[in-house]
Amino acid sequence: MDLYPLWNSLRIAAISSVLVFFLGIVAAYYAARLPRAVKGVLDVVLTLPMVLPPTVCGYFLILVFGVKRPLGMFLSQFGIKFVMTWYGGILAATVVAFPLMYRTARGAFESFDKTLAYAGQTLGLSNTYIFWRIRMPACRQGILAGTVLAFARALGEYGATSMLIGYTPGRTATISTTVYQLWRTNDEGGAFTWVMINLAISAVVLLCVNMLEDRQKKAVKR
């Protein structure tokens, strides 16, 4: 059994989760401090990939990063090509998973007790110190939950991924695209095997999310 789809899916999901973690935190932190009207507009823009069909997201990515598009042609001069490459899957997964991390992190930041930050400022602590040593630990449960959900979304991504990187065995194949390809070629046994693998990974991810939520509820009660 060729395990490349599993390895490729895991590395795409892992790398995109790291990117989404930092991008989502930065966007959520600054969005939570914006005026309500501006924040509303920004929310629409940043969460749009969550409500759009994944294939539409993939189509927009092709329009921007296609080899015949200005940006795609510019990047290709440096050997960077997102179309039909495995790391193009990172781009697709990041775009689709980002809204989950952003919304979860923003909710965590908005529920943060700002008096803790004010107290730190009165003690002469820098904003950087307050963010990493006070705000982030207080919001860690929500942020961790968002990271896990983003990883799960990136792992199961199909629409944007199939549009941007397609399916090439040993190069761009992921679990989702492999399931479709095996089903399309009437290999139902192989497709079922990969479905069960995906189900097992998804079940573990959901258990992690539930554990984080339980810990957050216990922390709130205390």
Side-chain angles (χ1 to χ4, degrees):
M1 181 180 180
D2 181 16
L3 295 178
Y4 180 84
L6 175 61
W7 153 245
N8 195 35
S9 295
L10 289 175
R11 69 174 172 177
I12 288 175
I15 296 173
S16 62
S17 295
V18 173
L19 295 174
V20 165
F21 175 81
F22 290 103
L23 293 174
I25 286 177
V26 171
Y29 175 72
Y30 286 104
R33 305 172 67 182
L34 292 174
R36 185 173 181 179
V38 178
K39 183 168 60 177
V41 175
L42 187 64
D43 273 347
V44 172
V45 175
L46 295 181
T47 60
L48 199 58
M50 187 167 62
V51 296
L52 285 176
T55 50
V56 174
C57 294
Y59 175 76
F60 281 120
L61 289 175
I62 292 176
L63 287 180
V64 176
F65 296 99
V67 293
K68 295 183 178 180
R69 302 296 174 178
L71 182 57
M73 294 174 64
F74 174 77
L75 293 175
S76 63
Q77 296 177 1
F78 302 94
I80 302 174
K81 181 182 176 183
F82 290 106
V83 179
M84 298 303 294
T85 58
W86 73 268
Y87 49 86
I90 298 174
L91 175 63
T94 299
V95 170
V96 174
F98 171 82
L100 287 173
M101 182 65 198
Y102 164 71
R103 293 298 292 248
T104 306
R106 202 200 73 187
F109 287 146
E110 288 180 343
S111 63
F112 172 71
D113 186 358
K114 295 181 180 180
T115 57
L116 296 175
Y118 297 149
Q121 291 174 349
T122 60
L123 295 175
L125 301 177
S126 65
N127 290 331
T128 302
Y129 184 93
I130 292 172
F131 179 81
W132 289 109
R133 301 301 296 272
I134 299 177
R135 190 183 299 269
M136 285 292 287
C139 302
R140 65 181 181 276
Q141 300 298 337
I143 291 173
L144 286 175
T147 304
V148 174
L149 287 173
F151 176 83
R153 183 66 185 87
L155 184 67
E157 163 54 29
Y158 171 75
T161 301
S162 62
M163 289 284 289
L164 190 63
I165 68 175
Y167 171 82
T168 304
R171 291 184 57 189
T172 66
T174 63
I175 294 176
S176 299
T177 57
T178 299
V179 169
Y180 175 75
Q181 181 66 18
L182 292 175
W183 171 81
R184 193 178 67 84
T185 56
N186 295 321
D187 186 358
E188 294 188 4
F192 182 77
T193 299
W194 283 111
V195 166
M196 296 306 296
I197 292 174
N198 204 356
L199 282 174
I201 298 174
S202 300
V204 172
V205 170
L206 289 175
L207 285 175
C208 292
V209 173
N210 290 335
M211 291 174 60
L212 290 172
E213 289 180 346
D214 290 340
R215 290 180 60 182
Q216 188 174 14
K217 291 178 180 178
K218 291 179 181 178
V220 171
K221 290 180 180 179
R222 292 176 184 175

